[in-house]
Amino acid sequence: MAAIPSDLSDAERQVWEAFRTGDVCDFAGRGVTYSADWALPRGDFGADWGPERTIRAEFLARLLLDGPAPVAGRTPGLHLTGARIVGDLRLRGARVDAYVDLRGCRFENRIDLGDATTGTLRIIGSVLNGVRARRARVDGDLCLTTCRIREGLLLTDAHVANDVVLNGSRIRPMRDGDAVSADGIQVTGDISAHGPFHALGTVRMRSARVGGRVTFYRARLDAPDGLDSRGHSNLAFDGAGMNVEQSLHMSDRFTATGSIRLIDARFGDAYILDHAAVLGRETDTLALWRATGRTLSIVVEPTPRGRVLLSGAQWGALTDVPGTWPEDPGRMAIGGMTYTVLRSTRPMDLAQRLRWLAAATPDYEPQPYEQLALAYRASGQDEEARSVLLAKQRRNRETLRVPGRLWGWVQDVTIGYGYRPARALAWLVALIAIGTTVFGLDRPSPLKADEAPHWNPFFYTIDLLLPVLSLGQESAWNPGGWTQWVAYVLVMLGWILAGAAAAGATRVLNRGA
């Protein structure tokens, strides 16, 4: 058993004795409580506390690393409430086996846990002057709730066996502009940062691995001013390459002032940006290039002014509502994005979807149209799918030279590029009616009177219109005068109609194949 050091203050002796029994050493006079309902410290919380509740960080380090043996039948632990802790708490590379629970405390200097191994660590309702835990290993929960952290939280390459809980904390940035720097962190459970959690700098979780969920309910993330140490500006959240086994939630009045970067992120279930106030400035960006997940749910209020970049992303379901997407052309990029179904509590109608595609592809791209058609067809909306593919051909026509545009216009008017086959029948019926009427009023003369078949203006018109079919009428009768021009026009229109029908049929059959 380690002897009680002779240099301890009265307050430190109380902590030493409480450690042996695992009892709470309560300098705040709140009584023994394990409630998580601690308010966020305000103003100069704890700055005026005197020596009766002041503890040296050096003493805490000594207690945790070489403290007294526990009282028989008791589990030692540091349970401290309402203390002012002075000096740097240096535990770099150390192994801390005792349970640590600090509430309503004030740290005047930093906590250094770099490369340390600890059990569960809870600091609640406290003022911290920065936490540095690069490559730390926490064999339990890491809980920093309703804390005011003045110089950021560093968790790069840390390992946490259970959950990371940051609910209600307010974190100011480090010198590099990061409020939370957790690149490469590995968490077996969940990461939660619920409101009124407020990060006044970038939250970084690049290449993070999370076995559960990451939730930012009612949280606020504010990008720092100027460029960060990596040359990025206006970045509120950077989760590029992160892998979340379940879902990432930024919802329930989530707010971000700045950009959200989730390039190459992987979500086992979903990325949910729901009832969120984001992309409020033209410089803000939601970047989801090549991200993948079962569901992408975006409900942004109000309509965003920033950019949404989804190129190459892959989703099982896409959930949105009218007003979710930027309205100005060029503010979205969805080329190469795939999704299987569309879901919404307030579905966008076909006209809204087509405006969405037009805004997302100021320079024509066929894939977004084909993808939307596939999604419609998967949900049994074949008519909407055909309308999308027709709109695709019309957009493509705008990119062609004059001859191609003219031929495209003919195909559109006659058969809707193959997606409106009833138009061809309507044209055919109209032309047959016109021809039958004209030639019924002005009968052509026979080429050979003794060999001419029985005159029938209906079948004569059909013979003129259908170039691949011969009924013996066209070759037996010779129209004259103005009816000869009508016959020529009908022949040309027949060829045009047949060519357009063949092109449309080929297009539709190739799409089906």
Side-chain angles (χ1 to χ4, degrees):
M1 170 181 174
I4 299 177
S6 59
D7 59 343
L8 301 188
S9 67
D10 289 341
E12 291 169 350
R13 286 178 178 273
Q14 293 180 53
V15 176
W16 183 278
E17 291 298 333
F19 180 86
R20 296 183 62 219
T21 60
D23 291 333
V24 175
C25 186
D26 182 12
F27 292 111
R30 295 185 56 162
V32 179
T33 174
Y34 290 92
S35 170
D37 186 20
W38 285 74
L40 182 72
R42 302 291 181 182
D44 292 329
F45 174 83
D48 58 349
W49 293 346
E52 73 281 357
R53 54 196 301 184
T54 298
I55 306 295
R56 292 171 298 155
E58 177 187 0
F59 159 72
L60 290 183
R62 188 192 319 175
L63 181 68
L64 292 171
L65 299 179
D66 190 25
V71 172
R74 305 296 292 270
T75 301
L78 179 59
H79 301 271
L80 182 59
T81 300
R84 176 172 174 260
I85 301 164
V86 296
D88 289 335
L89 181 57
R90 297 188 178 95
L91 294 169
R92 176 179 292 274
R95 181 176 183 86
V96 178
D97 294 321
Y99 189 97
V100 177
D101 189 321
L102 308 176
R103 302 181 185 229
C105 294
R106 177 185 178 90
F107 283 80
E108 296 291 358
N109 301 87
R110 290 182 181 176
I111 299 174
D112 187 356
L113 294 168
D115 295 297
T117 299
T118 75
T120 291
L121 175 62
R122 297 183 186 275
I123 304 178
I124 300 172
S126 300
V127 173
L128 310 178
N129 201 38
V131 178
R132 302 293 181 265
R134 185 190 299 270
R135 295 184 300 277
R137 181 177 294 274
V138 179
D139 295 329
D141 295 325
L142 175 60
C143 181
L144 301 172
T145 60
T146 58
C147 289
R148 190 150 51 89
I149 305 178
R150 292 189 290 255
E151 294 183 13
L153 173 60
L154 178 63
L155 295 171
T156 302
D157 294 326
H159 289 68
V160 180
N162 292 335
D163 300 329
V164 175
V165 186
L166 305 175
N167 299 341
S169 289
R170 178 182 174 90
I171 307 178
R172 300 192 65 84
M174 296 174 273
R175 292 182 180 179
D176 61 2
D178 291 355
V180 178
S181 184
D183 291 346
I185 190 172
Q186 297 186 35
V187 180
T188 303
D190 301 333
I191 298 178
S192 60
H194 300 170
F197 176 85
H198 187 184
L200 290 90
T202 303
V203 175
R204 294 190 190 275
M205 295 184 184
R206 297 184 304 175
S207 301
R209 298 292 182 267
V210 183
R213 301 187 304 167
V214 179
T215 52
F216 287 93
Y217 299 130
R218 302 178 301 283
R220 180 182 180 91
L221 311 182
D222 289 333
D225 296 329
L227 297 176
D228 62 20
S229 60
R230 300 166 180 82
H232 299 137
S233 64
N234 192 42
L235 193 56
F237 183 84
D238 188 358
M242 72 184 306
N243 191 322
V244 182
E245 291 295 327
Q246 296 183 23
S247 301
L248 169 59
H249 292 258
M250 294 179 171
S251 53
D252 192 10
R253 302 191 304 280
F254 170 83
T255 301
T257 303
S259 298
I260 298 172
R261 189 168 179 260
L262 290 165
I263 299 170
D264 293 314
R266 301 289 183 269
F267 308 104
D269 190 6
Y271 171 49
I272 300 174
L273 186 65
D274 192 6
H275 293 91
V278 298
L279 306 179
R281 303 175 298 184
E282 292 185 356
T283 54
D284 295 346
T285 300
L286 172 60
L288 284 156
W289 290 318
R290 300 180 301 277
T292 62
R294 291 181 183 176
T295 300
L296 170 63
S297 178
I298 298 185
V299 179
V300 176
E301 300 172 346
T303 299
R305 298 174 58 199
R307 297 185 301 162
V308 179
L309 309 178
L310 291 161
S311 300
Q314 299 177 25
W315 311 102
L318 173 62
T319 301
D320 59 1
V321 297
T324 284
W325 306 98
E327 297 177 344
D328 296 334
R331 307 301 293 174
M332 287 185 287
I334 61 175
M337 180 178 71
T338 61
Y339 46 93
T340 303
V341 295
L342 294 167
R343 295 175 182 165
S344 179
T345 55
R346 290 185 289 134
M348 295 170 66
D349 60 30
L350 177 61
Q352 290 171 319
R353 282 292 176 199
L354 292 178
R355 287 196 295 271
W356 172 61
L357 288 181
T361 57
D363 296 324
Y364 168 69
E365 296 178 69
Q367 188 274 338
Y369 287 87
E370 294 166 357
Q371 177 57 57
L372 180 57
L374 285 173
Y376 273 134
R377 188 170 292 110
S379 60
Q381 297 174 279
D382 291 338
E383 176 59 29
E384 286 79 0
R386 287 191 291 270
S387 296
V388 171
L389 293 173
L390 175 57
K392 167 196 164 187
Q393 294 300 327
R394 289 171 175 168
R395 285 292 308 278
N396 181 51
R397 188 171 71 213
E398 298 171 0
T399 68
L400 304 177
R401 295 183 178 180
V402 173
R405 291 186 184 184
L406 291 174
W407 178 234
W409 180 83
V410 169
Q411 294 183 75
D412 192 358
V413 170
T414 55
I415 58 169
Y417 284 99
Y419 303 111
R420 296 290 183 266
R423 288 186 186 178
L425 180 60
W427 277 104
L428 186 61
V429 170
L431 293 175
I432 289 174
I434 292 171
T436 300
T437 301
V438 168
F439 296 117
L441 295 174
D442 190 346
R443 176 178 174 176
S445 58
L447 291 174
K448 297 179 180 180
D450 55 342
E451 297 180 7
H454 176 73
W455 166 246
N456 188 312
F458 174 76
F459 286 109
Y460 179 71
T461 303
I462 292 178
D463 215 357
L464 292 173
L465 284 170
L466 302 181
V468 296
L469 179 66
S470 176
L471 301 177
Q473 290 282 336
E474 179 185 5
S475 59
W477 303 94
N478 183 28
W482 67 279
T483 59
Q484 186 177 37
W485 289 103
V486 173
Y488 291 157
V489 170
L490 289 175
V491 170
M492 287 189 295
L493 289 177
W495 277 104
I496 292 173
L497 194 60
T506 301
R507 182 179 301 107
V508 172
L509 290 173
N510 286 340
R511 175 178 54 82

